[in-house]
Structure formats: C-alpha cells, structure tokens
Amino acid sequence: MENGAARQLSDFLASANKRELLALIRFLEEEAQEDDLFELFRLAGETRKASYGDRVFFRGLIEFSSFCKNDCYYCGIRRSNRKAARYRLTKNEIIDCCRSGYDLGFRTFVLQSGEDMFFSDEVLCGIVSGIKELFPECAVTLSVGERSRESYRRLFAAGTDRYLLRHETADEAHYAKLHPPEQALKNRKRCLYDLKELGYQVGAGLMVGSPFQTYETLAEDIIFLRDLQPHMAGIGPFIPHKETRFAGFPSPPPKSTPILLSLVRCLLPKVLLPATTALATSDKNGREKGLLAGANVVMPNLTPYEHRKDFSLYDNKLATGSEAAEGLSVLKRQIKGLGLKPDFSRGDHADFQKG
Ligand code: SAM
C-alpha cells in the first residue's frame, strides 16, 4: 500500500487551480479505468480512517415541513408545484420524533424543512431549546434555508449546533439556471460564511449531475468548498421530479457521485460526509458505494410515517427499509459488512470534539 498517496492527492486538491481540477474531474469521469477509481476510493477511505477511524455516524432526520416559499426549479416541494402535498409538524410532534429517535439510540437530530415562514425565529428557537432541555446531550442540526444573520445568531443561542445549507453550485450562471432571479448565489454564500463566523458546524454541498452542470462548474465547487472549509458536505445525485421543468433530465452515471465524494473527502479530510438518501435512491448499492468512497454519515428518517411520501424532493425518494429508522438493524449490518463501525454518538466534527 502506497502510504503517502492519499496525502499527495490531498495536497494536490489543496492547491490546484481551476484548470487542473477540471482536468482531474474530466479524467476521472471519462478516462479512468476501474482500477484507477478503485484506487481513488481506497485513498478516500484511508483519509476518512485517519480522521475518524472506521466510524459511521448516525443522524435522525426529521422532515418537519414541506411548505416552501422558494421555487428552486429542480425541487419537488418548490412553491409553484401545486400538486405537492403540504404538511407541517407541531413542536410536540417534532419532540415526539426526537423521543423515538433517542430511544433508538440517536444522539443527533437533523431538522429539515422547506423555507416555511410559519417557523419564525421565535417558533424555531422554542423547538430547538425544547429539544435541548429534554435531550441535553444531543446535537441539533437545522436545515431550513436562507435566513438573516440575526436569525442564525438567535438559533445558535437557542442551542442549535449545526446547520446544513447546500450552496448547490458555486457558479453564478449555473445557479441562475437552477433558481428564479430572486434567489441569489451571493446570499447563499453570505449565509454560509455568517453561519461559520457565528460558531456553527456548517454544511455546504451540491447535487451531482444537476442540469447544466459541467466539469468547470464542479471545479468551481471544489474551489468554493476549499475556501469555505465546511465541517459537513451534502453531496448526492440529482434525481428528476416529474412536476418540475427538469422532469426529463437524467441522473448522473452511478460512478459520478462516489467520485465527487472521494474528492471532497481528500480535499477536506475531516469533513462529515453523508451517504445520502438520493444516492441510495438512484442506485440500489448507492449507500455502500458512498461509504466505500469516503462517506461517514448516514441519516435514517424519523419523520412520522404518514408524512414521509410528502417530503418529495425527487421521484421515488426512499423513506422506508434501511433509509428509515425502523430499518436500523439492516443498515447497521450493511455498515459492518463493509468493515465499518456504526456509531450513535453525537459525532461532532473533529475540531469540535471536547477533551
Ligand atoms: N430548504 C432547505 C434548503 O434549501 O437548504 C432544506 C431542504 S432542501 C429541499 C434540501 C436539499 O434537497 C437541497 O439543498 C437540494 O440539494 C436537494 N434536492 C432538491 N431537489 C432535488 C432533486 N431533484 N434531486 C436531488 N436532490 C434534490
């Protein structure tokens, strides 16, 4: 085993310019043979091991509202999809989800929703502090979109530990093809930098194979992630939704998401990197491939069963089986089968671990 190769790749990614990154991505996508990709994934696995050992962290995902004021062209719950079923959980229902998650062993809860203005700062802070009162040793992650710096400050003060906000694409022109004019990349980036400055563990990220994505925009994504240095990165394949303008657009080839995951693992060795539901949806062995490419987080769904199908971001989104909290034993077995270790601790980023 070539010991310094993982380090070499990390060093290259840390300093490469856009042209060099583009060439690397093009090579991996178009020319690399199975052996080359196997080696890339091995290096990513080695890098993960150096940061977190063999641990794969479990997070309980609660999708608490499908209302959204935004109109992201790719997303099934965007506001102009009249056919989307809308639901909103109450504070008590959210806390009940946490309680069942806690009993199953989860020590991180990820609260995700559309941009639902019902959840004012006051309401959200009440929910976060309610969870923290009942489960003080648990981490709370929010993923509720773009808000003001003041709002992020208040949510942090209420006890929120982490925040996920994918940047979606770091390229202005590409961003404008995926979103209406009132949604601006500049504001997304502002949010991410605010969150970081305020002390959150921050997650950025993107869909692999989103419409109009190119090797060039991917190279820009790598450079953006390198500048931001997020603690988490949400990277999953684009999957079309039938009620969007991108209904006829394809998902990327199965190898593309693992390639990007492994590059991001080597770029940010300590990043917390989920093997996403979208990856498991798009390829029946997707989650395993993600974990073998350097991912180290899984997020089983704790949303009440009757609402799961309504958080429909893309077609055929998995919410049952090993994607669901009820299927934990299957998921644990799968992880152990890969030589990895299911871990139910809070799973903070290495720079945030106490002691
Ligand atoms: N509203 C919050 C936000 O904007 O961050 C959180 C919810 S949003 C629906 C979560 C993520 O779903 C988005 O960042 C996007 O990358 C992903 N998503 C939406 N539509 C998708 C699609 N068609 N395929 C794959 N992922 C999708």
Side-chain angles (χ1 to χ4, degrees), residues 68 70 72 74-77 112-116 143-146 163-168 188 205-207 234 236-241 244 278 311-315:
C68 193
N70 282 348
C72 308
Y74 45 83
C75 184
I77 63 165
Q112 186 169 77
S113 69
E115 292 207 11
D116 179 356
S143 175
V144 297
E146 296 176 28
Y163 204 102
L164 298 173
L165 182 70
R166 292 182 176 185
H167 66 284
E168 313 295 359
R188 281 244 138 184
L206 64 135
M207 292 174 288
F238 161 77
I239 303 175
H241 186 288
T244 65
F311 203 78
S312 172
L313 310 180
Y314 45 81
D315 291 335

Side-chain angles (χ1 to χ4, degrees), residues 39-249:
E39 180 61 6
L40 173 70
F41 301 149
R42 191 186 65 74
L43 296 181
E46 213 180 89
T47 306
R48 171 191 50 206
K49 195 174 173 111
S51 300
Y52 294 101
D54 292 326
R55 290 178 291 166
V56 174
F57 300 108
F58 277 62
R59 322 292 199 199
L61 175 64
I62 303 164
E63 295 163 332
F64 67 92
S65 168
S66 65
F67 285 89
C68 193
K69 74 170 172 56
N70 282 348
D71 217 21
C72 308
Y73 298 149
Y74 45 83
C75 184
I77 63 165
R78 77 190 202 290
R79 73 161 182 262
S80 59
N81 181 9
R82 298 262 154 71
K83 294 193 179 157
R86 308 289 174 178
Y87 70 92
R88 183 182 280 142
L89 301 189
T90 62
K91 175 177 174 179
N92 284 342
E93 286 171 323
I94 296 172
I95 288 187
D96 283 346
C97 294
C98 294
R99 191 170 292 113
S100 6
Y102 188 89
D103 292 344
L104 288 165
F106 289 94
R107 294 297 177 266
T108 288
F109 303 116
V110 180
L111 273 52
Q112 186 169 77
S113 69
E115 292 207 11
D116 179 356
M117 291 304 96
F118 172 84
F119 291 96
S120 61
D121 291 348
E122 207 182 330
V123 173
L124 260 186
C125 285
I127 293 170
V128 172
S129 53
I131 297 173
K132 286 294 207 173
E133 250 165 56
L134 285 167
F135 311 107
E137 76 273 39
C138 293
V140 173
T141 304
L142 284 180
S143 175
V144 297
E146 296 176 28
R147 299 173 81 98
S148 67
R149 185 182 173 101
E150 175 56 15
S151 171
Y152 290 146
R153 192 195 61 70
R154 292 178 69 180
L155 293 168
F156 190 70
T160 312
D161 300 273
R162 310 181 189 135
Y163 204 102
L164 298 173
L165 182 70
R166 292 182 176 185
H167 66 284
E168 313 295 359
T169 171
D171 180 275
E172 291 279 359
H174 186 208
Y175 198 90
K177 290 179 181 165
L178 299 177
H179 302 96
E182 68 271 17
Q183 291 177 238
L185 175 58
K186 208 164 152 221
N187 196 47
R188 281 244 138 184
K189 289 187 174 172
R190 187 274 302 160
C191 290
L192 286 162
Y193 279 100
D194 276 353
L195 289 160
K196 242 197 129 183
E197 279 170 27
L198 288 164
Y200 286 88
Q201 295 174 57
V202 176
L206 64 135
M207 292 174 288
V208 178
S210 63
F212 313 112
Q213 186 174 72
T214 62
Y215 298 139
E216 187 174 356
T217 65
L218 283 171
E220 284 181 54
D221 288 321
I222 302 259
I223 290 170
F224 175 69
L225 292 173
R226 183 166 78 195
D227 291 343
L228 177 68
Q229 294 283 316
H231 308 93
M232 306 173 282
I235 292 173
F238 161 77
I239 303 175
H241 186 288
K242 58 182 182 321
E243 297 298 335
T244 65
R245 66 175 65 183
F246 297 139
F249 281 62

